[in-house]
Amino acid sequence: MNDSVVRFQPSSSYDEALARAGAAWGIEAEYWDIWGKHHVPSAEARQAVLRSLGVPCETREQLDQALEERLWLEWATPTTATVVASDSRPAQLALNVPEEFSGGVLHAELTWENGESAAVSAPVASLPLLKNAELRGR
């Protein structure tokens, strides 16, 4: 288990917030074109991409608020809607479980792409703990 706890930390500068937001929304910090030339996107280019994705980025505070909200939504959502698996790559399903449910039992119904489904149950305490998060006092 990873002993570190995920927490939101405000950025110390606008440039840091812009870099963190770019990474969170999948904007590459650098790239090489087809001719082998190295490029680093300007702050204006990263801002334009973030704006096109609906991320307000005029101030450090706006970027930090968007980052904190993204982190909260990531952890507040129980799991992804879709898990890709195959015979050669078994499914691994990560669950986000609030601490108050750690003594409960997980009941889930899995639906396969062929329409078949399977019901599974397991005590939450029996599942491996991969990470902890402390967000918004929870």
Side-chain angles (χ1 to χ4, degrees):
M1 178 185 87
N2 184 344
D3 289 331
S4 64
V5 176
V6 174
R7 290 185 178 92
F8 176 75
Q9 296 294 325
S11 304
S12 61
S13 68
Y14 180 82
D15 289 339
E16 179 189 351
L18 185 60
R20 289 174 63 194
W25 273 273
I27 301 170
E28 294 292 334
E30 60 184 352
Y31 65 95
W32 286 261
D33 64 25
I34 62 171
W35 296 279
K37 184 176 179 192
H38 182 246
H39 298 272
V40 177
S42 67
E44 292 79 14
R46 289 181 287 157
Q47 290 167 337
V49 173
L50 287 168
R51 278 190 208 97
S52 75
L53 296 170
V55 179
C57 56
E58 300 307 315
T59 66
R60 178 184 56 82
E61 292 78 15
Q62 285 179 327
L63 286 166
D64 277 349
Q65 183 178 2
L67 284 161
E68 191 273 339
E69 181 67 16
R70 183 178 178 98
L71 186 61
W72 171 256
L73 290 174
E74 176 186 329
W75 280 88
T77 303
T79 191
T80 59
T82 304
V83 176
V84 178
S86 68
D87 291 338
S88 62
R89 189 175 133 212
Q92 294 184 358
L93 181 63
L95 301 172
N96 297 325
V97 180
E99 187 174 25
E100 61 264 27
F101 298 118
S102 61
V105 176
L106 167 74
H107 300 285
E109 183 173 334
L110 308 173
T111 303
W112 314 114
E113 64 184 18
N114 66 3
E116 294 179 20
S117 62
V120 296
S121 294
V124 172
S126 72
L127 303 173
L129 180 61
L130 303 176
K131 290 184 190 176
N132 279 316
E134 187 176 302
L135 301 167
R136 297 183 179 176
R138 296 189 65 194

